[in-house]
Amino acid sequence: MKITSLSNGKIKRWAKLKEKKYRDQEGQFLVEGEHLIEEAYAAGCLCALIVLHKVAYPRELAVDVYEVSEEIMRKLTTLTSMEPWIGVCNMPVCDDRSATRFIVLDGVQDPGNLGTIIRTAIAFGYHAMVLSQDCVDVYNEKVVRSTQGAVFHIPVLRKDLQEYLPALRKRGVVIYATDLHHAMPLQEAPTASDFAIVFGNEGSGVRASTLALCEYRIKIEMEAFESLNVAVAAGICMYYFYHKESF
Amino acid sequence: MKITSLSNGKIKRWAKLKEKKYRDQEGQFLVEGEHLIEEAYAAGCLCALIVLHKVAYPRELAVDVYEVSEEIMRKLTTLTSMEPWIGVCNMPVCDDRSATRFIVLDGVQDPGNLGTIIRTAIAFGYHAMVLSQDCVDVYNEKVVRSTQGAVFHIPVLRKDLQEYLPALRKRGVVIYATDLHHAMPLQEAPTASDFAIVFGNEGSGVRASTLALCEYRIKIEMEAFESLNVAVAAGICMYYFYHKESF
C-alpha cells in the first residue's frame, strides 16, 4: 500500500507512538532499522512495516507493508540520520510466572542505562525485569535502540513495587537491594536459589519505601568511595550472583 | 576584570578550547558549574574563573576572575541550560611511574563510557588510565562532566599502545586483554600483583595489533551470549581483579 498524505489516519496514529501515553493506549511502539525490525519479527511482535518510497526492504516479511514519502518518514522517525524502514510492533506479552531470578529497577531514568541493564540481565541468565511505574519507558525509542533488540528476549513488566515486592517474597523469592548505608558487603550476602536484586535511581538510589520491603541491603566493596554508574553496579552484582557458586 | 566584547582575544582563545586540537595546543580545557570548578581548584588545575555578569561565584578563589556578558557565556558554554560559571583549567601533569594497576583503553569512542570507566577505576583502586591515540579525548566536555570531577583524581595518559604495552611488560606488568575469541574465562586467569587490563572499542573490541602485545586474553563467562556494554564489562573485570584474593 502507498500512503502519500501526512494527514492519513494511520500516519497520525503511528506518529503519536513517540509518546508513552499513546504507546500504552495502543499497546504498540515503533522500531527503526533492519536489525530491530528483524528482532521484532522473530519475536512475533511486528505487525506492519513502513518503507521509504523506492527503498525496498531486503526481504519479504509476512506483515502489511506501507510505502511512504520522505516527508512522512521524517514525521515518524526519531533519528537525525533517518533509516529507510520503520516497524510497527505490538508490545510483547510479558509474564513472570516461571521466573526465579529477577532484576528490579526503582526509578531508573536514563534510557541508555535501562537498555544496558536489560542486555546485561540476559547475558547472565536473569528471567525477568520489573520496573517501577516511574522508570523510563522500556518502549521509549532510545531504550529499544540501546538494547539492540534484547528487549524482545526477556519479559519486562511495569509494576507498583509496593504491591509487587511483598507478593514476590510470598513466592519465596529473596530480595536484595543495593544501598550505600546500613548495607552488608556483597560478598557476605547469604545466597538463595530464587532471588531479586533491586537497583535505584541514578541520583538518589533505591527509595526508602522500597528498601523497607527488601530482606537484605548489599553494597559493592570499594577501595575509594565513588558513586558507580547504576548500569556498572548492576553488572557487577548480576555477574557476582550468577557466578557465586564458583567464587 | 570585565570583558564585554565577543572579539576579545581571551574569549576567542577560550572558545577554541571546545576543540581537541586547541586543547592540546594550549594544554588547557574548560569545566562548567560549581562542582567541577571546585574539583579543578582542589587539584590545583584551575587557572581562571569566568562568571556571568552579576552572578557572583559562591566563594573567593585565588585565581583571576573574568566577568562576562550572557552573550559571551553562550559562546563559551557547551550546555543548553547554561551554568553561570566556567573554569579554565590547565591539564593535570600525569605520570604512571608509581602505578602498578592500569586500565588501558583501545579506541573507546563514547564520552559517557570513558567517564564511567574512569569513575569505576578510581572506585576499585586502579592507579592509572592509559588511552590509545584514537580514544575520545578525556578533556572533551562530555567526558569531564560524566566523570563528575574524577578526571582530577587519577592520571590519564594518551599513548601509542604499540610502544607503551611492550615497555609496560618490561616493567613486569602482566597485561590482560578482554576478547571474545580464543580467550580464557576471567576466573581462570592467573593472578599478578602488577597488571593492566585492556578494553576495546564499542563496536570492534580490542584491535588485533594490540591483542598481540598482551599476555592473556580473558572473557567474562555468560549464560547467554550478549555483547556487554564496554563500561559494564570493564566494571565486572575491575571488581573481579580487585577482589580476587577474597574470592
Side-chain angles (χ1 to χ4, degrees), chain A residues 31-98:
Chain A
V31 298
E32 306 193 46
E34 185 180 355
H35 176 72
L36 287 172
I37 289 170
E38 288 294 322
E39 290 277 356
Y41 190 68
C45 294
L46 193 72
C47 61
L49 181 62
I50 306 164
V51 304
L52 180 62
H53 177 60
K54 290 192 175 160
V55 190
Y57 191 76
R59 69 185 191 103
E60 204 151 318
L61 302 178
V63 296
D64 290 337
V65 179
Y66 298 87
E67 198 180 312
V68 304
S69 64
E70 193 173 325
E71 186 189 29
I72 291 180
M73 216 63 176
R74 290 233 170 272
K75 187 180 167 122
L76 298 177
T77 189
T78 57
L79 301 169
T80 39
S81 69
M82 188 170 77
E83 296 268 1
W85 310 299
I86 292 181
V88 183
C89 307
N90 291 318
M91 291 178 181
V93 180
C94 293
D95 82 72
D96 66 347
R97 273 172 296 178
S98 60

Side-chain angles (χ1 to χ4, degrees), chain A residues 75 101 223:
Chain A
K75 187 180 167 122
R101 295 178 165 204
E223 177 84 9

Side-chain angles (χ1 to χ4, degrees), chain B residues 114-240:
Chain B
L114 177 55
T116 300
I117 292 171
I118 291 175
R119 281 163 57 200
T120 312
I122 294 171
F124 296 124
Y126 290 78
H127 307 134
M129 301 273 320
V130 182
L131 315 187
S132 67
Q133 307 283 5
D134 62 345
C135 276
V136 58
D137 183 26
V138 68
Y139 301 113
N140 170 305
E141 74 283 356
K142 285 185 195 154
V143 176
V144 173
R145 212 173 318 128
S146 82
T147 64
Q148 299 174 13
V151 69
F152 297 110
H153 300 168
I154 186 171
V156 182
L157 301 98
R158 186 171 286 272
K159 295 283 184 186
D160 178 339
L161 299 186
Q162 289 297 308
E163 294 171 8
Y164 185 79
L165 294 181
L168 213 51
R169 284 181 70 170
K170 274 195 196 134
R171 279 168 61 179
V173 175
V174 171
I175 305 175
Y176 304 95
T178 47
D179 191 29
L180 298 172
H181 310 288
H182 314 293
M184 65 178 69
L186 179 54
Q187 300 188 19
E188 290 173 19
T191 48
S193 62
D194 296 10
F195 65 91
I197 324 174
V198 186
F199 303 98
N201 172 269
E202 286 82 354
S204 52
V206 179
R207 78 196 90 197
S209 57
T210 307
L211 282 176
L213 303 172
C214 302
E215 244 158 312
Y216 299 106
R217 296 182 185 195
I218 54 174
K219 66 176 172 205
I220 295 169
E221 310 85 339
M222 290 182 204
E223 178 82 10
F225 179 75
E226 269 295 329
S227 76
L228 292 177
N229 167 281
V230 63
V232 171
I236 291 169
C237 292
M238 284 191 248
Y239 175 79
Y240 177 76

Side-chain angles (χ1 to χ4, degrees), chain A residues 116 119-120 122-126 147-148 150 153 186-187 220-229 231-232 235-236 239-240 242-243 246-247, chain B residues 116 119-120 122-126 147-148 150 153 186-187 220-229 231-232 235-236 239-240 242-243 246-247:
Chain A
T116 300
R119 281 164 57 201
T120 312
I122 293 172
F124 295 124
Y126 290 78
T147 65
Q148 299 175 11
H153 300 168
L186 179 55
Q187 300 188 20
I220 294 169
E221 310 85 338
M222 289 182 204
E223 177 84 9
F225 178 76
E226 269 294 327
S227 77
L228 292 178
N229 167 283
V232 171
I236 291 169
Y239 175 79
Y240 176 76
Y242 168 59
H243 285 282
S246 62
F247 277 142
Chain B
T116 300
R119 281 163 57 200
T120 312
I122 294 171
F124 296 124
Y126 290 78
T147 64
Q148 299 174 13
H153 300 168
L186 179 54
Q187 300 188 19
I220 295 169
E221 310 85 339
M222 290 182 204
E223 178 82 10
F225 179 75
E226 269 295 329
S227 76
L228 292 177
N229 167 281
V232 171
I236 291 169
Y239 175 79
Y240 177 76
Y242 168 60
H243 284 283
S246 63
F247 277 142

